[in-house]
Amino acid sequence: MRAARLIKMVLLLQARPSMTGAELARELEVSERTVTRDAAALSEAGVPVYADRGRAGGYRLIGGYRTRLTGLGRAEAEALFLSGVPSALHEMGLADAASAARLKVSAALLPELRDASHSVAQRFHLDAPGWWQEPQTPGLLPPLADAVWDDRRITVRYRRRDTEVARELEPYGLVLKAGVWYLAARAEGDFRVYRVDRFVSVEPGGDRFERAEEFELPAFWEERAAQFARSILREKTVLRLTPDGARQLPYVTDRTAGEEAVRAAGEPDGQGRITVTLPIESADVAFAQLLALGPEAEVLEPLELRERFAEAAHRMARLYR
């Protein structure tokens, strides 16, 4: 307990030119007498704490003294920067505070460790919003993570549909999305995404690769995720939406597709409704999603989907009659 308090006292004095005994006592939640004893203990231990006497006096560090977190190794420093969830921090309004904290820690690290935050961001990315499920850890995740950390080429066997293929990969980064791990890797000069649970074997190579300086894992993942979302929207439905339905549509379907469909709609009809053409994954998925809009959306096409909604409406009416 006292050791932690002494460290906090040094960090407080390091952050400010000078602090009174009362200020330190308040910050440390101790008495001013305890502050005096702690300052003497630090001085005896070689920390240059100086006490100015008089009404304007206080405690300060002399000689430009700064403590460093020299006890952190590279793995510990990188783990520290890996521990946050950027999207959650942003949504809670804590992104700026977290950034400031990381900068303060970076300043205290040894020069050879100050790139830890950058090296981690380029290798591991958590895409967390919108899902609440326990991630399943694939058995081959640890050797893949080792290769990512070490920038080491790997030879893998990967399950694709009913066959297995062999590949030589340069593993750039890992992404956890909705409880599923993905590997971003370069193969034959192109960057691709692989599901980790589909790897059958992973063999580390004997040589390392040079990382492309322009590669940014979060940006790469965002682009590929958008491409994937578009690729599965192979069918279309035509809807007539009330103003409320138009506002809610992006929140019950693919957000980008919903927003673009509303923007592309023509002028409202006499009832204030707009007609939109919405890309969908399938009729079954669209039925489950659009049912949430209730009377705010009318399905016009395809006819089979419209009839399905009509039957659901009749059943709901009978149920609540």
Side-chain angles (χ1 to χ4, degrees):
M1 176 69 107
R2 190 187 186 203
R5 189 175 70 244
L6 292 174
I7 292 172
K8 184 176 181 180
M9 183 174 180
V10 173
L11 293 175
L12 286 169
L13 293 175
Q14 184 173 296
R16 307 179 193 181
S18 177
M19 294 184 69
T20 66
E23 289 172 335
L24 283 168
R26 186 166 54 252
E27 291 281 355
L28 298 172
E29 299 180 349
V30 296
S31 67
E32 291 188 44
R33 179 170 295 182
T34 299
V35 168
T36 301
R37 288 198 297 265
D38 286 351
L42 287 171
S43 182
E44 292 173 3
V47 179
V49 178
Y50 182 78
D52 290 316
R53 305 296 179 184
R55 293 179 59 188
Y59 294 89
R60 59 187 174 89
L61 294 173
I62 61 175
Y65 177 86
R66 298 188 69 79
T67 184
R68 295 178 182 239
L69 300 179
T70 52
L72 268 81
R74 167 165 291 279
E76 293 169 319
E78 289 174 332
L80 172 64
F81 286 102
L82 184 61
S83 63
V85 182
S87 59
L89 290 171
H90 179 76
E91 291 175 4
M92 291 187 292
L94 298 176
D96 290 341
S99 177
R102 286 192 293 270
L103 286 173
K104 290 176 182 178
V105 173
S106 293
L109 291 172
L110 291 172
E112 60 268 26
L113 301 182
R114 289 178 186 167
D115 68 336
S117 61
H118 180 74
S119 66
V120 168
Q122 292 308 309
R123 289 168 172 81
F124 296 92
H125 178 58
L126 175 62
D127 186 353
W131 287 275
W132 301 96
Q133 67 182 68
E134 194 69 24
Q136 300 296 317
T137 304
L140 292 176
L141 181 61
L144 285 172
D146 288 342
V148 169
W149 278 120
D150 209 24
D151 294 339
R152 189 173 296 278
R153 289 185 176 88
I154 54 177
T155 301
V156 305
R157 293 194 65 80
Y158 186 77
R159 189 171 61 254
R160 178 181 291 174
R161 298 184 179 89
D162 297 328
T163 62
E164 291 183 10
V165 296
R167 291 285 186 271
E168 289 189 1
L169 304 179
E170 295 178 353
Y172 267 68
L174 288 164
V175 176
L176 177 60
K177 170 73 171 183
V180 179
W181 283 96
Y182 296 88
L183 175 72
R186 185 159 59 180
E188 300 175 351
D190 295 327
F191 286 102
R192 303 173 186 176
V193 175
Y194 301 85
R195 275 187 62 139
V196 172
D197 59 8
R198 292 181 184 169
F199 283 103
V200 177
S201 66
V202 176
E203 296 294 334
D207 58 336
R208 293 183 171 87
F209 62 91
E210 192 73 24
R211 294 178 69 87
E213 292 184 2
E214 69 275 10
F215 181 83
E216 296 287 340
L217 181 58
F220 168 79
W221 176 257
E222 182 178 1
E223 178 185 351
R224 290 305 172 92
Q227 290 176 0
F228 174 75
R230 292 298 183 89
S231 71
I232 64 175
L233 302 179
R234 301 186 181 93
E235 301 180 24
K236 292 183 179 181
T237 183
V238 179
L239 309 172
R240 185 180 291 126
L241 301 171
T242 66
D244 281 344
R247 282 191 293 270
Q248 296 173 32
L249 183 65
Y251 299 99
V252 300
T253 64
D254 178 84
R255 184 160 190 164
T256 301
E259 290 174 346
E260 290 181 354
V262 171
R263 283 198 298 267
E267 292 297 318
D269 60 18
Q271 296 179 316
R273 296 172 175 253
I274 61 172
T275 299
V276 304
T277 300
L278 176 72
I280 59 174
E281 183 176 346
S282 67
D284 287 341
V285 173
F287 179 77
Q289 293 175 335
L290 298 174
L291 200 61
L293 296 180
E296 309 303 328
E298 178 188 0
V299 176
L300 303 179
E301 298 177 15
L303 180 60
E304 295 81 3
L305 185 58
R306 177 180 175 85
E307 291 175 345
R308 190 171 174 181
F309 270 91
E311 172 61 21
H314 287 306
R315 290 170 58 194
M316 291 280 285
R318 290 195 299 269
L319 183 64
Y320 287 99
R321 186 169 46 198

